[in-house]
């Protein structure tokens, strides 16, 4: 078993170390993580500059790029062998609903999925790393179960959100769908020392679709949320209508 582990909080993040420790006895572990916090970078790749990789004091490989860069570089030349599984996290805060479109944690796992490798993204629902060891035990249990009874077909992609609880491994686990958020709050306008306007992205909107069956509802109810993801963004239900309006035959 070869496992590639990445994250978006950076190579020094406690969540990364906890995830590595939780699975290190399963086989050969390769850790490739961003040099700096890369939260919110989504699936971006660094195409306009070269990337550097160095070995940190903690033994992890470090890339001066995004989470997707880390996994992409690993799978296209850095690693001598293809991994059997890609893990990402444990993230400092939730990645639910629309958050998954922006999340570097989910993007790192998705990059592995795009290359045909099964992948799981792990996040704690609250920031601050509270009860991180318990979240790591949940991650290990989920990895053990999917390795023992792997779903078909391969690859697959899971997004896991774990409540910050001292005994999270005892919480119920629910397989969920993504909820939805309201639009983000307005940008925060400030002035820099030169008197020029600057803008900070506003906070994420509150959940607007958070009913039973969603990741928001599961975690708010004290459960671990496990959401299978896919990459196909095609609006399949509207294809016939668009064909009727726009399609032309030669």
């Amino acid at each position: 078993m070869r496992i590639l582990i990445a994250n978006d909080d950076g190579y020094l993040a406690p969540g990364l170390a906890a995830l590595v420790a939780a699975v290190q006895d399963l086989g050969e572990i390769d850790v490739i993580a961003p040099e700096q916090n890369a939260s919110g970078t989504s699936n971006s790749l660094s195409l306009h500059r070269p990337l550097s990789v160095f070995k940190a004091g903690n033994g992890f490989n470090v890339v001066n790029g995004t989470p997707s860069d880390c996994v992409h570089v690993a799978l296209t030349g850095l690693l001598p062998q293809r991994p059997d599984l890609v893990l990402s996290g444990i993230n400092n805060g939730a990645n639910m609903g629309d958050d998954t479109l922006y999340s570097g944690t989910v993007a790192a796992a998705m990059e592995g999925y795009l290359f045909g490798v099964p992948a799981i993204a792990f996040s704690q629902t609250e920031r601050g790393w509270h009860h991180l060891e318990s979240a790591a035990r949940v991650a290990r249990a989920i990895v053990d179960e999917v390795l023992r009874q792997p779903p078909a077909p391969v690859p697959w992609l899971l997004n896991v959100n774990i409540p910050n609880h001292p005994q999270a491994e005892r919480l119920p686990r629910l397989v969920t769908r993504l909820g939805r958020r309201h639009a983000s709050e307005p940008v925060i306008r400030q002035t820099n020392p030169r008197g020029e306007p600057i803008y900070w992205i506003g906070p994420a909107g509150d959940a607007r679709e958070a009913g039973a069956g969603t990741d928001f509802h599961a975690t708010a109810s004290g459960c671990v949320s496990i959401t299978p993801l896919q990459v196909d963004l095609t609006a399949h239900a509207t294809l016939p209508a668009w064909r009727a309006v726009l399609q032309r035959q030669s």
Side-chain angles (χ1 to χ4, degrees), residues 4-11 16 30-38 41-46 49 51-54 60-79 83 86-88 104-105 107-112 115:
L4 170 62
I5 303 180
N7 77 340
D8 75 351
D9 290 314
Y11 74 101
L16 179 65
D30 294 294
V31 182
I32 304 178
E35 184 176 15
Q36 299 177 340
N37 188 307
T41 53
S42 188
N43 299 85
S44 60
L45 294 174
S46 299
R49 63 177 178 86
L51 295 168
S52 298
V53 182
F54 67 90
F60 298 167
N61 295 293
V62 181
V63 178
N64 63 337
T66 68
S68 294
D69 286 334
C70 294
V71 177
H72 192 96
V73 168
L75 296 180
T76 59
L78 186 62
L79 296 183
V86 173
L87 303 179
S88 181
T105 302
M110 188 176 292
E111 192 70 14
F115 276 88

Side-chain angles (χ1 to χ4, degrees), residues 151-242:
V154 172
W156 39 263
L157 174 62
L158 298 178
N159 182 45
V160 180
N161 283 274
I162 306 166
N164 299 54
H165 190 280
Q167 294 183 317
E169 66 273 21
R170 296 188 177 183
L171 297 177
R173 300 202 307 250
L174 296 178
V175 175
T176 59
R177 67 181 188 275
L178 295 179
R180 295 296 308 275
R181 287 192 184 276
H182 288 286
S184 295
E185 298 295 321
V187 294
I188 301 168
R189 188 181 190 277
Q190 295 180 338
T191 303
N192 69 14
R194 296 185 178 87
E196 301 163 335
I198 57 175
Y199 300 89
W200 294 89
I201 296 294
D206 294 331
R208 67 176 173 86
E209 184 182 331
T214 67
D215 46 7
F216 288 120
H217 187 271
T219 56
S221 302
C223 301
V224 175
S225 168
I226 305 171
T227 307
L229 301 181
Q230 63 181 13
V231 178
D232 184 2
L233 298 178
T234 306
H236 291 279
T238 66
L239 280 175
W242 285 113

Side-chain angles (χ1 to χ4, degrees), residues 101-175:
L101 295 174
Y102 305 102
S103 167
T105 302
V106 174
M110 188 176 292
E111 192 70 14
Y113 170 81
L114 291 172
F115 276 88
V117 182
I120 312 175
F122 294 102
S123 303
Q124 284 191 293
T125 57
E126 298 176 12
R127 298 180 62 82
W129 308 117
H130 306 303
H131 309 302
L132 180 57
E133 294 77 11
S134 182
R137 290 193 292 271
V138 173
R140 172 58 188 261
I142 290 173
V143 170
D144 284 342
E145 291 182 25
V146 297
L147 292 179
R148 185 168 54 248
Q149 293 182 302
V154 172
W156 39 263
L157 174 62
L158 298 178
N159 182 45
V160 180
N161 283 274
I162 306 166
N164 299 54
H165 190 280
Q167 294 183 317
E169 66 273 21
R170 296 188 177 183
L171 297 177
R173 300 202 307 250
L174 296 178
V175 175

